[in-house]
Every structure is written in structure tokens, then in C-alpha cells.
Amino acid sequence: MAMSPSFIPVPDDMSPWTSSEPPRRDPIDDGEEVDAAIVGAGFTGLACARTLAELAPARRIVVIDAMRVGDGASGRNSGFVMDTGHWHASWPLERSRALTDLSRHGLGRLRALVDAHRIECDWYDGNRYHVAVNRRGRRALDRFRAGMRALGERFEEVGPDELAERLGTRHYREALRLDGGAFVEPYRLIRGVAAALPPSVRLIEGTPIARVDPGPPHTLTTADGRRIRARQLVLATNGFMGAWGVQRAGVLPFMTFAAVTEPLAAPPGRDPQWGAVPEERMGCTVRRTADGRILVRNGVALRSPPRLDRALVDRAAKSLRASLRRRFPELADAPFSHRWGGVIGATNNDGTVFGALGEQAWVCGAHNGVGMAMGTAMGDLLAREIVGQEHPLLGSARALPRPSWMPPQPLLGLGVRFYVGLLGLLAGAER
């Protein structure tokens, strides 16, 4: 049965990490044939294309995106390349260990590309603080601490006085500092990854796919009527996969929101770069960037279709301003240079989509807000799955839970709004 997206993502100019350059639209000959077509040029799609090209250099591979590379979630996130995310207390220990191993595999792949191709993206290793403010947040941090000990991870306990020196705020009551992961300027990273693709990979931007007729060969029809025939198909649209009818009842396209100040003459804190991650899920994520800005991120929204507009972002900005004020009263009136939002693929059970979509067709996505490292890892491993090359982590990727079912709209929207609102109230000062 043919697949047609129910909506096509539209870029905006709200994020500080985008470009006004026109998209790269390589010519497509109507009816041209390729070995593999990858829909979606985020971290997952680009990683899949790179590994396919490395393992089979003679293959003709095309990566197609409706927007410019970096205009979607891959270029407008908060810049955390996570190796250990939130602790899943209900998961078996081995599954949590596998998740960390997968994230570090993706992190290593990205770091190797940055080094090999000299990608200028303000890469900064480590210095991530998992923080807590109130009783609810401290309970969550206790679970995270126990999880890190169970995994044998090293961390530093940091009390409020020392934390105030390092971060320049007395808002947090306690924290654990971890060295893993990295901070980056995400747009320049994803653009650099795209520019470093092997010669056998052709990248086509600004070209929405309006219809896919499954094969093989699969026929992809662009919005302007041109057709590409591909022996193999990969759908790597992450939070937008539901628009294709894939995991519509399992993967939610949540919108999250962020704002960043202008570069500050005297940025708070002793550490030159740092990130604060709340263990309370509805808490506020905070960063001090390489150029001395303070970035705050909180709030989620669920819309169908997940289309951002300035009115929605302006409403979210009130909460972002309050978050900045609580942590840095001296910056209460510091102007935001940018306020923006982005779409993530989230699931009810932190499940992931990975595997076959049909004959000679595969799908990968739903990375639950940690897509730079996980998307890179899963895209790389999916390519190995496609060519039949085993890898020590392929079993871990296959064994991750799949998204659990959620009720259809409008019940889903009502339930999510109620649940998110309740969690926001319970989070209190963590927001």
C-alpha cells in the first residue's frame, strides 16, 4: 500500500542555529534508479548513509530531506550529546547498560568525524551536572545515583556551595557531575557531518517526498512530481514518522522549547562551559555555551500536526523567562536573542523504532530527546543490519523495547495535556 505523509515539516527562522542559505537541490532525473534511498537527513539518516557507503562503496545512495539539513531537530536542540540519559528504574540493569553502550558508540562516531574532518562545532567534552532542587527532584536524583553506581559509572557529588561557584547559581540543592558526553553547537555539527559524507552519497535538501509506492523497487515521488526508484528504502524521519502512518499510535511528535540570551560580558559561574540536566523529567535544562550565553529549555506541547508558530513559542517563552529568573535573578531582564522550538520523537515507555518496515525497507527513530548520540548509533547499526554485517551492539539495538500503544486522538491529546500539566505543577521549582 502506498504511503503519503499527512503533513510536511516547514522550517522557520526562530532558532539561532540555522542558516539563510538556500537548500541544496541536486537535479533528479524523473525515473532515475538508485540502490538505496534514505528519507530524512538528521543524525540517524546521515549515519545510516555513511555506514552503507563505507561497507558498500559501489552503491548509489541518495539522502532526501524536505528541509535543509539542520533545520529540523538535529540542528535546533540544546546541544547535549548524551552518553547516560535519565535513569530507567523499571528497566533491567543490562538494558540500561546496553543503552549507555549504544549512546557511547554514537558519541564516538561523532567525535571521530569532528576530528577527522575538522568540523568547527564548539565540541566540549563532559562537565554535565545532573541536578535537583526540591524533594521530588532529589528523589529522582537519588534514583539516578543508585543507577550510576549499579552500572559502575564514575561521578562527583557536588554540594550547593561548590555548585554555586561553578555554575553561578544557588538554585540547585545538590548535583552529580559526570565527565561523559559532550556539548556542541548542533547546527554546525550536523552540517559538518553532512558535508563529510562519502562521494557515493548524494544529499538532496528542500525536496519533500509526497508518496512512496512500496516495492522493491520502491518508487519515491517528490512534491513536484519527479520519481526515484530505489532497491532499498530507509525511513529516518524520527518524530515525523507518524505522519507516514508508521508507529502513529506509539511515537508522539512532542514539541519542546528553548531560549538563549545574548553573549554576556560576565557569564555566571567559574566553569567555561557546563550543562545542568534535571532528573525531574519536567524540570528545566540549562547550558552555558561556548560564547558565554545562557540557554534554558523547558515545556512540551503536543499538536497534530506538530507545526510550530511564533504565537506558540511566545507563550512558551514566559515559562522560559521564569526559569532563567529563578536561577539567575541578576539576569532577570537579560534579553533573549532567540526563542524557538523543535520536534522530538517520544514514546510512552522510552521505546525505540528499529528494524524492518517491509521487503527491502527499514525504519529507525524515536530517540526520546537524546538523538544526537543515539540517532548516530542506531543509524550506523541499521546500515549494518541492511548489509548483513554483524556488530557487537546489534543485539542491543534489536533488544530495546518497541513503543507501547497509546490511545488515538482526541483522547490522547486530552490525556497528554492533563498529564503534562500535572507534572508541571508537581515539578515546581525544578521548572
Side-chain angles (χ1 to χ4, degrees), residues 156-177:
E156 176 192 6
E157 303 259 8
V158 186
D161 291 337
E162 177 63 20
L163 198 60
E165 288 288 327
R166 297 184 188 184
L167 308 190
T169 174
R170 288 195 167 275
H171 184 69
Y172 302 111
R173 304 312 305 155
E174 60 179 299
L176 306 181
R177 179 186 174 276

PDB file of all heavy atoms in Angstrom, residues 156-177:
ATOM      1  N   GLU A 156      30.927  12.666  40.440  1.00  0.00           N
ATOM      2  CA  GLU A 156      31.355  13.503  41.560  1.00  0.00           C
ATOM      3  C   GLU A 156      30.128  14.097  42.233  1.00  0.00           C
ATOM      4  O   GLU A 156      29.266  14.672  41.568  1.00  0.00           O
ATOM      5  CB  GLU A 156      32.260  14.631  41.046  1.00  0.00           C
ATOM      6  CG  GLU A 156      32.692  15.616  42.122  1.00  0.00           C
ATOM      7  CD  GLU A 156      33.326  16.873  41.550  1.00  0.00           C
ATOM      8  OE1 GLU A 156      33.327  17.044  40.308  1.00  0.00           O
ATOM      9  OE2 GLU A 156      33.812  17.709  42.353  1.00  0.00           O
ATOM     10  N   GLU A 157      30.051  13.955  43.554  1.00  0.00           N
ATOM     11  CA  GLU A 157      28.983  14.600  44.324  1.00  0.00           C
ATOM     12  C   GLU A 157      29.362  16.070  44.530  1.00  0.00           C
ATOM     13  O   GLU A 157      30.471  16.380  44.977  1.00  0.00           O
ATOM     14  CB  GLU A 157      28.823  13.920  45.682  1.00  0.00           C
ATOM     15  CG  GLU A 157      28.551  12.428  45.608  1.00  0.00           C
ATOM     16  CD  GLU A 157      27.090  12.108  45.809  1.00  0.00           C
ATOM     17  OE1 GLU A 157      26.279  13.066  45.850  1.00  0.00           O
ATOM     18  OE2 GLU A 157      26.763  10.918  45.925  1.00  0.00           O
ATOM     19  N   VAL A 158      28.437  16.971  44.218  1.00  0.00           N
ATOM     20  CA  VAL A 158      28.710  18.403  44.344  1.00  0.00           C
ATOM     21  C   VAL A 158      27.614  19.048  45.188  1.00  0.00           C
ATOM     22  O   VAL A 158      26.421  18.977  44.837  1.00  0.00           O
ATOM     23  CB  VAL A 158      28.782  19.092  42.963  1.00  0.00           C
ATOM     24  CG1 VAL A 158      29.209  20.543  43.110  1.00  0.00           C
ATOM     25  CG2 VAL A 158      29.741  18.356  42.034  1.00  0.00           C
ATOM     26  N   GLY A 159      28.013  19.664  46.302  1.00  0.00           N
ATOM     27  CA  GLY A 159      27.060  20.337  47.177  1.00  0.00           C
ATOM     28  C   GLY A 159      26.715  21.726  46.691  1.00  0.00           C
ATOM     29  O   GLY A 159      27.320  22.244  45.739  1.00  0.00           O
ATOM     30  N   PRO A 160      25.734  22.374  47.353  1.00  0.00           N
ATOM     31  CA  PRO A 160      25.222  23.667  46.859  1.00  0.00           C
ATOM     32  C   PRO A 160      26.256  24.789  46.832  1.00  0.00           C
ATOM     33  O   PRO A 160      26.243  25.616  45.920  1.00  0.00           O
ATOM     34  CB  PRO A 160      24.069  23.984  47.822  1.00  0.00           C
ATOM     35  CG  PRO A 160      24.310  23.121  49.021  1.00  0.00           C
ATOM     36  CD  PRO A 160      24.993  21.899  48.528  1.00  0.00           C
ATOM     37  N   ASP A 161      27.166  24.830  47.813  1.00  0.00           N
ATOM     38  CA  ASP A 161      28.137  25.919  47.832  1.00  0.00           C
ATOM     39  C   ASP A 161      29.128  25.800  46.677  1.00  0.00           C
ATOM     40  O   ASP A 161      29.402  26.781  45.964  1.00  0.00           O
ATOM     41  CB  ASP A 161      28.893  25.941  49.170  1.00  0.00           C
ATOM     42  CG  ASP A 161      27.985  26.349  50.329  1.00  0.00           C
ATOM     43  OD1 ASP A 161      26.959  27.018  50.070  1.00  0.00           O
ATOM     44  OD2 ASP A 161      28.301  25.991  51.478  1.00  0.00           O
ATOM     45  N   GLU A 162      29.667  24.604  46.493  1.00  0.00           N
ATOM     46  CA  GLU A 162      30.605  24.401  45.391  1.00  0.00           C
ATOM     47  C   GLU A 162      29.901  24.556  44.051  1.00  0.00           C
ATOM     48  O   GLU A 162      30.461  25.118  43.096  1.00  0.00           O
ATOM     49  CB  GLU A 162      31.238  23.009  45.497  1.00  0.00           C
ATOM     50  CG  GLU A 162      32.182  22.643  44.362  1.00  0.00           C
ATOM     51  CD  GLU A 162      33.403  23.547  44.265  1.00  0.00           C
ATOM     52  OE1 GLU A 162      33.744  24.224  45.265  1.00  0.00           O
ATOM     53  OE2 GLU A 162      34.026  23.593  43.177  1.00  0.00           O
ATOM     54  N   LEU A 163      28.656  24.084  43.981  1.00  0.00           N
ATOM     55  CA  LEU A 163      27.896  24.201  42.739  1.00  0.00           C
ATOM     56  C   LEU A 163      27.662  25.664  42.377  1.00  0.00           C
ATOM     57  O   LEU A 163      27.735  26.054  41.204  1.00  0.00           O
ATOM     58  CB  LEU A 163      26.561  23.463  42.887  1.00  0.00           C
ATOM     59  CG  LEU A 163      25.817  23.092  41.611  1.00  0.00           C
ATOM     60  CD1 LEU A 163      26.671  22.175  40.737  1.00  0.00           C
ATOM     61  CD2 LEU A 163      24.496  22.422  41.954  1.00  0.00           C
ATOM     62  N   ALA A 164      27.405  26.487  43.396  1.00  0.00           N
ATOM     63  CA  ALA A 164      27.192  27.918  43.158  1.00  0.00           C
ATOM     64  C   ALA A 164      28.446  28.561  42.580  1.00  0.00           C
ATOM     65  O   ALA A 164      28.367  29.448  41.716  1.00  0.00           O
ATOM     66  CB  ALA A 164      26.787  28.612  44.452  1.00  0.00           C
ATOM     67  N   GLU A 165      29.619  28.128  43.026  1.00  0.00           N
ATOM     68  CA  GLU A 165      30.866  28.659  42.485  1.00  0.00           C
ATOM     69  C   GLU A 165      31.028  28.263  41.017  1.00  0.00           C
ATOM     70  O   GLU A 165      31.427  29.082  40.175  1.00  0.00           O
ATOM     71  CB  GLU A 165      32.053  28.128  43.289  1.00  0.00           C
ATOM     72  CG  GLU A 165      32.181  28.728  44.666  1.00  0.00           C
ATOM     73  CD  GLU A 165      32.648  30.171  44.627  1.00  0.00           C
ATOM     74  OE1 GLU A 165      33.435  30.499  43.714  1.00  0.00           O
ATOM     75  OE2 GLU A 165      32.206  30.959  45.473  1.00  0.00           O
ATOM     76  N   ARG A 166      30.716  27.013  40.715  1.00  0.00           N
ATOM     77  CA  ARG A 166      30.960  26.505  39.367  1.00  0.00           C
ATOM     78  C   ARG A 166      29.945  27.023  38.353  1.00  0.00           C
ATOM     79  O   ARG A 166      30.293  27.338  37.210  1.00  0.00           O
ATOM     80  CB  ARG A 166      30.928  24.977  39.373  1.00  0.00           C
ATOM     81  CG  ARG A 166      32.008  24.335  40.223  1.00  0.00           C
ATOM     82  CD  ARG A 166      31.957  22.824  40.094  1.00  0.00           C
ATOM     83  NE  ARG A 166      32.852  22.163  41.037  1.00  0.00           N
ATOM     84  CZ  ARG A 166      33.058  20.852  41.079  1.00  0.00           C
ATOM     85  NH1 ARG A 166      32.429  20.061  40.208  1.00  0.00           N
ATOM     86  NH2 ARG A 166      33.881  20.331  41.969  1.00  0.00           N
ATOM     87  N   LEU A 167      28.668  27.079  38.762  1.00  0.00           N
ATOM     88  CA  LEU A 167      27.609  27.432  37.817  1.00  0.00           C
ATOM     89  C   LEU A 167      27.116  28.865  37.963  1.00  0.00           C
ATOM     90  O   LEU A 167      26.412  29.367  37.083  1.00  0.00           O
ATOM     91  CB  LEU A 167      26.418  26.479  37.964  1.00  0.00           C
ATOM     92  CG  LEU A 167      26.695  24.976  37.911  1.00  0.00           C
ATOM     93  CD1 LEU A 167      25.374  24.202  37.833  1.00  0.00           C
ATOM     94  CD2 LEU A 167      27.599  24.613  36.754  1.00  0.00           C
ATOM     95  N   GLY A 168      27.419  29.485  39.100  1.00  0.00           N
ATOM     96  CA  GLY A 168      26.978  30.864  39.289  1.00  0.00           C
ATOM     97  C   GLY A 168      25.537  30.990  39.725  1.00  0.00           C
ATOM     98  O   GLY A 168      24.933  32.053  39.557  1.00  0.00           O
ATOM     99  N   THR A 169      24.966  29.935  40.319  1.00  0.00           N
ATOM    100  CA  THR A 169      23.588  29.987  40.810  1.00  0.00           C
ATOM    101  C   THR A 169      23.460  29.162  42.077  1.00  0.00           C
ATOM    102  O   THR A 169      24.091  28.098  42.195  1.00  0.00           O
ATOM    103  CB  THR A 169      22.592  29.470  39.762  1.00  0.00           C
ATOM    104  OG1 THR A 169      21.277  29.408  40.347  1.00  0.00           O
ATOM    105  CG2 THR A 169      22.956  28.080  39.268  1.00  0.00           C
ATOM    106  N   ARG A 170      22.638  29.639  43.009  1.00  0.00           N
ATOM    107  CA  ARG A 170      22.349  28.896  44.232  1.00  0.00           C
ATOM    108  C   ARG A 170      20.983  28.195  44.158  1.00  0.00           C
ATOM    109  O   ARG A 170      20.449  27.774  45.167  1.00  0.00           O
ATOM    110  CB  ARG A 170      22.394  29.827  45.447  1.00  0.00           C
ATOM    111  CG  ARG A 170      23.811  30.262  45.800  1.00  0.00           C
ATOM    112  CD  ARG A 170      23.900  30.877  47.186  1.00  0.00           C
ATOM    113  NE  ARG A 170      25.296  30.997  47.588  1.00  0.00           N
ATOM    114  CZ  ARG A 170      26.009  30.035  48.153  1.00  0.00           C
ATOM    115  NH1 ARG A 170      25.437  28.856  48.414  1.00  0.00           N
ATOM    116  NH2 ARG A 170      27.271  30.229  48.479  1.00  0.00           N
ATOM    117  N   HIS A 171      20.466  28.075  42.973  1.00  0.00           N
ATOM    118  CA  HIS A 171      19.138  27.487  42.817  1.00  0.00           C
ATOM    119  C   HIS A 171      19.140  25.994  43.143  1.00  0.00           C
ATOM    120  O   HIS A 171      18.153  25.486  43.702  1.00  0.00           O
ATOM    121  CB  HIS A 171      18.661  27.698  41.379  1.00  0.00           C
ATOM    122  CG  HIS A 171      17.271  27.226  41.116  1.00  0.00           C
ATOM    123  ND1 HIS A 171      16.164  27.849  41.650  1.00  0.00           N
ATOM    124  CD2 HIS A 171      16.798  26.184  40.371  1.00  0.00           C
ATOM    125  CE1 HIS A 171      15.074  27.226  41.249  1.00  0.00           C
ATOM    126  NE2 HIS A 171      15.426  26.212  40.476  1.00  0.00           N
ATOM    127  N   TYR A 172      20.222  25.299  42.840  1.00  0.00           N
ATOM    128  CA  TYR A 172      20.245  23.838  42.982  1.00  0.00           C
ATOM    129  C   TYR A 172      20.737  23.440  44.367  1.00  0.00           C
ATOM    130  O   TYR A 172      21.649  24.047  44.920  1.00  0.00           O
ATOM    131  CB  TYR A 172      21.143  23.221  41.911  1.00  0.00           C
ATOM    132  CG  TYR A 172      20.717  23.578  40.510  1.00  0.00           C
ATOM    133  CD1 TYR A 172      21.499  24.416  39.712  1.00  0.00           C
ATOM    134  CD2 TYR A 172      19.519  23.114  39.987  1.00  0.00           C
ATOM    135  CE1 TYR A 172      21.112  24.761  38.433  1.00  0.00           C
ATOM    136  CE2 TYR A 172      19.113  23.462  38.706  1.00  0.00           C
ATOM    137  CZ  TYR A 172      19.907  24.286  37.932  1.00  0.00           C
ATOM    138  OH  TYR A 172      19.506  24.629  36.674  1.00  0.00           O
ATOM    139  N   ARG A 173      20.128  22.373  44.915  1.00  0.00           N
ATOM    140  CA  ARG A 173      20.489  21.909  46.245  1.00  0.00           C
ATOM    141  C   ARG A 173      21.575  20.846  46.225  1.00  0.00           C
ATOM    142  O   ARG A 173      22.338  20.699  47.169  1.00  0.00           O
ATOM    143  CB  ARG A 173      19.255  21.364  46.981  1.00  0.00           C
ATOM    144  CG  ARG A 173      18.096  22.348  47.086  1.00  0.00           C
ATOM    145  CD  ARG A 173      18.546  23.716  47.568  1.00  0.00           C
ATOM    146  NE  ARG A 173      19.267  23.647  48.838  1.00  0.00           N
ATOM    147  CZ  ARG A 173      20.144  24.552  49.239  1.00  0.00           C
ATOM    148  NH1 ARG A 173      20.433  25.593  48.461  1.00  0.00           N
ATOM    149  NH2 ARG A 173      20.755  24.426  50.405  1.00  0.00           N
ATOM    150  N   GLU A 174      21.634  20.067  45.161  1.00  0.00           N
ATOM    151  CA  GLU A 174      22.690  19.059  45.041  1.00  0.00           C
ATOM    152  C   GLU A 174      22.818  18.657  43.581  1.00  0.00           C
ATOM    153  O   GLU A 174      21.928  18.916  42.757  1.00  0.00           O
ATOM    154  CB  GLU A 174      22.402  17.831  45.901  1.00  0.00           C
ATOM    155  CG  GLU A 174      21.117  17.102  45.579  1.00  0.00           C
ATOM    156  CD  GLU A 174      20.927  15.883  46.462  1.00  0.00           C
ATOM    157  OE1 GLU A 174      21.781  14.967  46.409  1.00  0.00           O
ATOM    158  OE2 GLU A 174      19.930  15.840  47.214  1.00  0.00           O
ATOM    159  N   ALA A 175      23.947  18.022  43.266  1.00  0.00           N
ATOM    160  CA  ALA A 175      24.193  17.635  41.873  1.00  0.00           C
ATOM    161  C   ALA A 175      25.209  16.501  41.831  1.00  0.00           C
ATOM    162  O   ALA A 175      26.008  16.306  42.751  1.00  0.00           O
ATOM    163  CB  ALA A 175      24.717  18.825  41.071  1.00  0.00           C
ATOM    164  N   LEU A 176      25.161  15.767  40.752  1.00  0.00           N
ATOM    165  CA  LEU A 176      26.191  14.790  40.403  1.00  0.00           C
ATOM    166  C   LEU A 176      26.835  15.269  39.112  1.00  0.00           C
ATOM    167  O   LEU A 176      26.135  15.558  38.136  1.00  0.00           O
ATOM    168  CB  LEU A 176      25.592  13.397  40.193  1.00  0.00           C
ATOM    169  CG  LEU A 176      24.744  12.811  41.316  1.00  0.00           C
ATOM    170  CD1 LEU A 176      24.263  11.421  40.924  1.00  0.00           C
ATOM    171  CD2 LEU A 176      25.522  12.762  42.615  1.00  0.00           C
ATOM    172  N   ARG A 177      28.169  15.345  39.103  1.00  0.00           N
ATOM    173  CA  ARG A 177      28.880  15.768  37.905  1.00  0.00           C
ATOM    174  C   ARG A 177      29.453  14.546  37.200  1.00  0.00           C
ATOM    175  O   ARG A 177      30.117  13.712  37.815  1.00  0.00           O
ATOM    176  CB  ARG A 177      30.005  16.729  38.250  1.00  0.00           C
ATOM    177  CG  ARG A 177      30.799  17.192  37.051  1.00  0.00           C
ATOM    178  CD  ARG A 177      32.002  18.033  37.471  1.00  0.00           C
ATOM    179  NE  ARG A 177      32.843  18.359  36.324  1.00  0.00           N
ATOM    180  CZ  ARG A 177      33.781  17.551  35.831  1.00  0.00           C
ATOM    181  NH1 ARG A 177      33.989  16.359  36.377  1.00  0.00           N
ATOM    182  NH2 ARG A 177      34.510  17.922  34.792  1.00  0.00           N
TER     183      ARG A 177
END
